[in-house]
Amino acid sequence: MTTTPTHITRPREVDTEAAKDDSQLRQKQMISGHFDKLATAKEDGRAVAYTFVPGNLTELMLALDMLPVLPEINALQSGMRKLSGNYITEAEKLGHSEDVCTYVKCDIGMMKSGNIGPTGTKLPDPNILLLSYTGCFTFMKWFELLKEEYNCPVAMLHVPYQGDGHITPEMRTYVIEQLEREVIPALEKAAGKKLDLDRLSDLLERSRKAEDDLVAVWESAQNTPSPIDGYFGGVYYIGPIFSAFRGTQDACDYYAMLRREVEQRVKEGKGPVTPDGDAPEEKYRLVVEGPPNWTNFFDFWRMFSREGATVVSSTYTRVGGLYDTGFRHDPKDPLGTLADYCLGCYTNLNLPMRTKLLASYIEKYKADGFLINSVKSCNSFSAGQLLMLRELERKTGVPGGFIESDLVDPRYFGKANIENRVQSYLQMLEARKSRASA
Amino acid sequence: MTHHEAENTTNDPASAVLERARHFVDDLTLTEVVRWKKDHPGQLAVGYMPIYVPRPMLEGIGCLPVAMFGGGDQVDIIKGDSFYQSYICHIPRSTLELALNGSLDSLDGVLFPSICDVIRNLSGMWQMLFPEKYASYVDLPQNFDPELGGKFYVNDMARILRDLTARGAWKYDADKMRAAIAAENSRRAALKELDTLRVKEPFRVRASEAYLVARAGGLLEAAAHEKLVREFVAAAKQRAPRVYDNVRVLVRGSFCEQPPLGLIKTLEAAGCDIVDDDFQLGLRYIDGDIECGPSDDPMRAIATAFLRRGQATASRYIADEEKGAALVQSVRQVEAEGVIFAAASFCDPALLDQPMLEAALDRAKIPHTSLKFAENTGQFQVIREQAGAFSDAVKLWGSAA
Ligand code: SF4
Ligand code: SF4
């Protein structure tokens, strides 16, 4: 799942204030720089690893001078660029079931159509598939499928699920020992060099700094009005840290810059940036569970922003790392900290933990309501969400809304239907507020 | 092709044992488990979702392992649907239905093996809905090195043993565990005999019958199930042969949500002798014995059997081997002429696996076709036509072209 629209060339329709922020420009430069490196990776003799966002081992890959490619991000880009529908059809023609995760089919369709990245150049084939098997069963199938196509080695890291709601020492040891004995040797072989643990620690130190700033950005949403949208806007904020940049100076600079901008907005009493510029007056504060839809991302966002609804926190923005409950990468324990990171990603939490986390966001960010966007593709997220809805309403007394769409399959974004649901939900919140103030 | 079929008359020597098997399979309210608990005061009954948990681990501490396969086509879903979106498979709905209407009350706990995200998340739902019951996720290792995945698995089984002992199960005793492994091995040998008979003389054992006989073991101790299987095999051998002309097929993809019996019978009626399938994969997951000598650590033995001889299936990571190679080998072994993929609708593991298996079959020039079902599917006409066309094509041209 899991993804961020960072590698997107922003469509002209959103070339607004958001696009003019220095942090946004900085992020754009970082991303285009990464794609430039990918374009010449083979000539430059740099190994390329395909991997997933949750449980990504970016610092490890960077310490070995490898270049990460994230097929989930390729898929979401294709969604935003309106290419995913054709890619999915292409994969279904090849025999992939209509029932399964559309990220996989979108990626396969894109590969079969030439594997052209957002900058118009072909993405390099992987030297290795780094299967960080964290929080989603489909990841395993996805890379089995890619292995058939690329015929390259796979490094599998089995990250146990927090089924009983905590990380046991045995789970942690299992991950660390797999890293030591299998994953790192396989990556070293693909990269053609040995891992330098000091270099890894340096990267982790920088990760920690960026994570501090990101958490400050998330927590700024405690202000009224919230200076950020922690879902629609949030998917941009997670771009660098969930993809190829965690551990880099670029990421540190980006998050420091973003934090300053957000703090400035707080000082000025401003709400978040939206596709239409500065948000109107904040009327509703929401928490959102579940990934967004990418094919109609801006339509979806506007259904909220134009009504004065700001998402003050979301769980989707925690899939590639859950930092606001305290975790930070620890440079003193490089492999242990990578294990803790993988084990702690949002989709690796069990349902009671996910429900508890959402309840804590509702309380911490003083949300008026919470909304679940249930996506057809993703059993990891979606199975159990209806129970979460009930439990959250019971626990918090805050009303929940439920909508259904998909990540990148345009056939499952019923705009009118979703808009109706969102509006009825917001009207209900309005009525509730009026009753409370009467 | 098979040229015989057993006579299905009232004089069928296997009818009594088949009726008993059917009783166990239909026992959705677990009356047999209630009876077992009465006969074994203080001992626990532990349910588990598909595909596989090590049953001897449970029997070794005096627990009755109970396989949970949802409600099939026998349960009206009243509450279960309100927990799931339309695009999620059927088995978790009927399972919750049974749990919420009290049918599963005799279970002291439930284990949820790592097969897919639906069952994984169901473990958390269970914890939320039935906080007084034991519910635990079993993260079967996807790393097959004894010192990595093996060690993790042994530790995880130790956790489950501790948890269950704290709830009243026997304390771990290596001898009792070895005895449970021996009983499991004997059951496995009996199942093997059943499978061999089916492969060699499918006219004596229909797949729908083998299915009932195997699945009956879901709520029996290994020794009791072994007895039932052997009784059936002995009876089936007494059946008279009859000439018939069927195609030998293998069915894959139904390892979790089970096809309704009517679907299996429909495939048979469409001219298919199903000589191998994965309907009840859990009981056959370990290929052969769990090797455990008198001085071996039984928990290590269970783990090693899983690592070394666990069957290739969609929920198991295929590391270095070629994807689909095991399926092609099975086709050859049972001399099947074609493969029918039958997956539950919205079953991610089965459906994501299928293109890779199909590619392997194509490379090996083995004909195949695919269909989807739900456990409560009631109409089989389309499936019958599809399977009939497939078997005709295989008969005529040796391919599904
Ligand atoms: S199932 Fe969900 S988490 Fe997994 S790849 Fe698909 S969208 Fe991502
Ligand atoms: S039928 Fe498939 S998707 Fe559904 S619970 Fe079983 S394995 Fe999971």
Side-chain angles (χ1 to χ4, degrees):
Chain A
M1 138 115 349
T2 324
T3 34
T4 80
T6 48
H7 298 189
I8 301 287
T9 313
R10 286 171 79 92
R12 220 177 294 137
E13 64 167 327
V14 287
D15 195 16
T16 59
E17 193 162 337
K20 289 178 201 140
D21 285 347
D22 288 345
S23 62
Q24 282 291 352
L25 295 173
R26 179 77 197 232
Q27 188 177 146
K28 271 186 178 178
Q29 286 162 2
M30 287 158 67
I31 288 155
S32 74
H34 183 66
F35 277 93
D36 288 347
K37 285 183 200 155
L38 284 171
T40 58
K42 298 292 160 185
E43 295 111 81
D44 300 343
R46 292 191 70 174
V48 173
Y50 283 20
T51 196
F52 293 109
V53 174
N56 70 73
L57 301 169
T58 304
E59 297 89 346
L60 197 52
M61 290 183 277
L62 296 181
L64 287 161
D65 289 319
M66 302 180 93
L67 291 170
V69 169
L70 297 126
E72 295 154 287
I73 294 181
N74 297 343
L76 89 84
Q77 292 168 7
S78 302
M80 289 185 100
R81 292 157 67 218
K82 311 277 184 210
L83 299 171
S84 55
N86 286 343
Y87 289 157
I88 291 166
T89 309
E90 174 73 21
E92 287 178 357
K93 269 196 234 146
L94 291 168
H96 293 269
S97 167
E98 70 219 38
D99 289 357
V100 302
C101 171
T102 50
Y103 264 12
V104 181
K105 286 185 287 187
C106 182
D107 185 43
I108 286 177
M110 173 174 149
M111 183 181 59
K112 293 288 182 192
S113 313
N115 221 17
I116 304 299
T119 51
T121 51
K122 186 179 179 302
L123 292 172
D125 287 358
N127 297 83
I128 190 165
L129 299 167
L130 173 53
L131 174 43
S132 53
Y133 182 52
T134 304
C136 165
F137 175 85
T138 298
F139 288 163
M140 185 170 92
K141 297 286 107 187
W142 192 340
F143 271 14
E144 280 181 353
L145 285 159
L146 290 197
K147 188 186 173 207
E148 299 257 298
E149 298 292 334
Y150 292 115
N151 194 22
C152 67
V154 185
M156 156 64 123
L157 177 68
H158 175 201
V159 177
Y161 181 65
Q162 292 198 43
D164 285 346
H166 53 261
I167 300 169
T168 64
E170 289 81 9
M171 289 158 74
R172 195 170 186 270
T173 306
Y174 178 41
V175 177
I176 294 171
E177 290 183 351
Q178 287 178 80
L179 287 171
E180 282 171 343
R181 295 196 211 168
E182 296 193 348
V183 174
I184 292 173
L187 291 177
E188 286 177 334
K189 196 168 169 207
K193 60 178 69 169
K194 283 270 159 215
L195 176 68
D196 175 350
L197 275 177
D198 290 337
R199 191 167 169 211
L200 177 59
S201 290
D202 290 347
L203 284 150
L204 293 165
E205 178 62 47
R206 287 194 286 272
S207 300
R208 188 187 181 85
K209 280 198 193 111
E211 287 157 4
D212 277 343
D213 284 336
L214 175 62
V215 171
V217 170
W218 293 145
E219 293 192 334
S220 72
Q222 289 177 97
N223 289 286
T224 308
S226 167
I228 61 161
D229 184 290
Y231 183 57
F232 298 106
V235 296
Y236 288 95
Y237 305 152
I238 55 179
I241 207 159
F242 280 13
S243 61
F245 300 98
R246 205 179 59 221
T248 63
Q249 190 55 46
D250 274 341
C252 289
D253 295 347
Y254 168 79
Y255 284 102
M257 192 182 275
L258 177 66
R259 182 177 181 170
R260 280 195 302 276
E261 285 169 1
V262 167
E263 284 169 354
Q264 185 58 32
R265 295 188 79 80
V266 174
K267 273 193 207 135
E268 293 170 15
K270 282 184 170 175
V273 177
T274 76
D276 303 314
D278 277 345
E281 188 195 350
E282 180 182 285
K283 281 167 76 182
Y284 315 103
R285 297 168 64 85
L286 303 177
V287 165
V288 174
E289 145 78 12
N293 161 272
W294 300 113
T295 53
N296 296 65
F297 183 77
F298 296 103
D299 289 337
F300 195 27
W301 188 349
R302 285 193 173 99
M303 289 178 199
F304 295 85
S305 61
R306 289 186 174 169
E307 303 295 330
T310 299
V311 181
V312 284
S313 192
S314 65
T315 49
Y316 178 70
T317 50
R318 276 51 169 186
V319 284
L322 183 56
Y323 302 112
D324 47 353
T325 54
F327 170 79
R328 297 287 182 281
H329 280 92
D330 177 3
K332 289 195 227 64
D333 178 16
L335 300 191
T337 205
L338 289 175
D340 291 334
Y341 158 73
C342 292
L343 288 158
C345 289
Y346 178 69
T347 45
N348 209 45
L349 309 184
N350 72 1
L351 269 262
M353 294 170 86
R354 283 171 58 188
T355 310
K356 208 169 143 201
L357 185 72
L358 277 158
S360 76
Y361 286 162
I362 290 167
E363 194 189 334
K364 179 171 176 178
Y365 294 100
K366 297 189 194 65
D368 305 305
F370 69 93
L371 194 92
I372 296 179
N373 182 36
S374 181
V375 292
K376 174 186 175 283
S377 271
C378 185
N379 285 346
S380 174
F381 252 107
S382 303
Q385 280 177 328
L386 284 161
L387 178 60
M388 289 170 75
L389 173 79
R390 284 183 224 172
E391 275 296 297
L392 275 171
E393 285 191 330
R394 193 181 61 77
K395 271 191 177 157
T396 63
V398 162
F402 200 86
I403 48 180
E404 292 180 81
S405 67
D406 188 51
L407 295 155
V408 288
D409 192 335
R411 295 171 295 189
Y412 295 97
F413 189 85
K415 188 177 170 196
N417 181 28
I418 292 174
E419 193 150 29
N420 274 341
R421 281 196 176 216
V422 171
Q423 278 184 357
S424 321
Y425 178 66
L426 295 177
Q427 278 161 12
M428 187 267 291
L429 289 185
E430 182 63 43
R432 209 167 174 262
K433 278 190 167 183
S434 312
R435 276 201 305 276
S437 59
Chain B
M1 283 178 209
T2 311
H3 297 279
H4 308 276
E5 187 184 66
E7 282 192 72
N8 194 6
T9 68
T10 44
N11 298 327
D12 178 8
S15 64
V17 61
L18 274 175
E19 208 170 299
R20 267 191 1 258
R22 177 89 205 215
H23 160 74
F24 292 123
V25 172
D26 288 345
D27 186 14
L28 295 180
T29 53
L30 304 184
T31 55
E32 286 299 324
V33 177
V34 174
R35 191 190 51 71
W36 181 91
K37 286 179 81 171
K38 253 193 212 134
D39 294 345
H40 300 80
Q43 291 178 233
L44 308 182
V46 179
Y48 68 93
M49 293 299 292
I51 304 177
Y52 166 85
V53 301
R55 292 178 63 109
M57 169 189 78
L58 296 170
E59 286 203 32
I61 54 167
C63 298
L64 178 68
V66 181
M68 295 160 67
F69 281 105
D73 52 2
Q74 303 292 311
V75 175
D76 286 335
I77 308 295
I78 298 158
K79 294 179 185 156
D81 276 343
S82 67
F83 288 93
Y84 286 104
Q85 302 88 320
S86 55
Y87 48 79
I88 288 178
C89 58
H90 206 268
I91 183 173
R93 306 160 197 269
S94 61
T95 303
L96 274 182
E97 188 72 35
L98 290 169
L100 291 166
N101 73 18
S103 299
L104 309 181
D105 283 357
S106 55
L107 299 179
D108 299 286
V110 179
L111 300 176
F112 299 83
S114 50
I115 155 174
C116 71
D117 293 333
V118 173
I119 286 187
R120 184 196 72 175
N121 289 6
L122 184 59
S123 70
M125 294 173 75
W126 216 269
Q127 290 166 355
M128 288 159 82
L129 287 166
F130 313 106
E132 71 292 352
K133 297 273 180 161
Y134 180 64
S136 195
Y137 185 64
V138 185
D139 216 334
L140 296 163
Q142 297 289 3
N143 176 297
F144 304 104
D145 180 332
E147 291 314 311
L148 295 171
K151 190 168 87 178
F152 172 72
Y153 189 25
V154 168
N155 284 329
D156 207 42
M157 285 191 284
R159 169 186 67 83
I160 296 166
L161 293 177
R162 277 195 307 274
D163 289 351
L164 290 172
T165 298
R167 288 174 175 258
W170 298 342
K171 208 162 165 284
Y172 172 77
D173 175 299
D175 286 334
K176 287 195 176 113
M177 197 56 78
R178 283 189 208 98
I181 289 173
E184 183 64 28
N185 287 345
S186 300
R187 175 235 295 273
R188 187 72 189 81
L191 282 170
K192 182 86 194 158
E193 209 182 312
L194 169 66
D195 295 340
T196 307
L197 180 64
R198 198 171 135 203
V199 169
K200 284 200 178 136
E201 300 178 311
F203 57 88
R204 292 197 192 279
V205 184
R206 310 297 285 153
S208 47
E209 297 169 343
Y211 174 71
L212 290 175
V213 172
R215 185 167 161 187
L219 43 57
L220 292 173
E221 286 175 299
H225 188 217
E226 182 200 344
K227 207 162 150 251
L228 184 132
V229 175
R230 293 202 187 281
E231 199 180 321
F232 173 75
V233 170
K237 284 180 178 168
Q238 305 304 312
R239 285 171 159 175
R242 197 173 109 181
V243 174
Y244 207 74
D245 183 13
N246 278 353
V247 165
R248 293 170 67 91
V249 301
L250 185 147
V251 175
R252 279 292 180 275
S254 317
F255 41 75
C256 175
E257 183 169 321
Q258 298 287 284
L261 196 62
L263 189 151
I264 305 175
K265 288 185 171 171
T266 299
L267 297 180
E268 292 169 345
C272 299
D273 274 340
I274 305 169
V275 286
D276 188 15
D277 59 67
D278 59 358
F279 304 142
Q280 286 291 302
L281 182 60
L283 293 171
R284 300 174 170 101
Y285 190 79
I286 306 297
D287 189 14
D289 278 357
I290 300 169
E291 284 164 16
C292 184
S295 55
D296 290 342
D297 173 357
M299 301 320 291
R300 266 261 159 217
I302 291 173
T304 306
F306 176 86
L307 301 177
R308 293 277 165 264
R309 289 209 309 286
Q311 302 227 21
T313 186
S315 61
R316 184 180 172 102
Y317 175 56
I318 299 297
D320 302 321
E321 307 85 46
E322 194 189 324
K323 197 73 198 170
L327 174 60
V328 171
Q329 200 190 347
S330 296
V331 171
R332 308 266 191 248
Q333 254 167 17
V334 301
E335 294 173 21
E337 294 158 281
V339 173
I340 297 178
F341 291 101
S345 293
F346 304 109
C347 177
D348 269 29
L351 293 169
L352 285 160
D353 221 36
Q354 202 168 298
M356 294 180 273
L357 301 183
E358 286 172 341
L361 293 179
D362 288 341
R363 288 192 295 271
K365 302 201 173 6
I366 296 166
H368 54 86
T369 188
S370 68
L371 54 93
K372 285 194 292 188
F373 66 87
E375 59 179 0
N376 60 345
T377 300
Q379 294 292 327
F380 305 115
Q381 190 51 34
V382 175
I383 290 174
R384 184 176 175 137
E385 282 162 19
Q386 186 185 344
F390 179 70
S391 72
D392 288 347
V394 172
K395 265 186 234 165
L396 282 174
W397 300 296
S399 86

